[in-house]
Amino acid sequence: MAAPDSAIFRKAALERLASPERLDARPRLPAYPRALMTAIAVLAAAVAAFAAWLR
């Protein structure tokens, strides 16, 4: 027999399936600042260049 907590999750899943307009909603990625993404890319490039220099 299922645990009592699973009934809560089952109810939530059935409610989610009952609203088909939400099924078409596209999941969104968090919008990070462009400067942060640029800094991460520069850091990754610097690490790759350093690793290549060590060889």
Side-chain angles (χ1 to χ4, degrees), residues 6-49:
S6 66
I8 296 170
F9 297 117
R10 181 178 178 90
K11 182 180 176 186
L14 290 174
E15 287 174 359
R16 195 171 299 146
L17 287 174
S19 58
E21 67 275 358
R22 290 188 61 201
L23 293 176
D24 292 335
R26 191 173 181 186
R28 301 175 86 189
L29 295 175
Y32 291 109
R34 188 173 289 168
L36 178 62
M37 298 303 284
T38 303
I40 291 172
V42 168
L43 181 62
V47 168

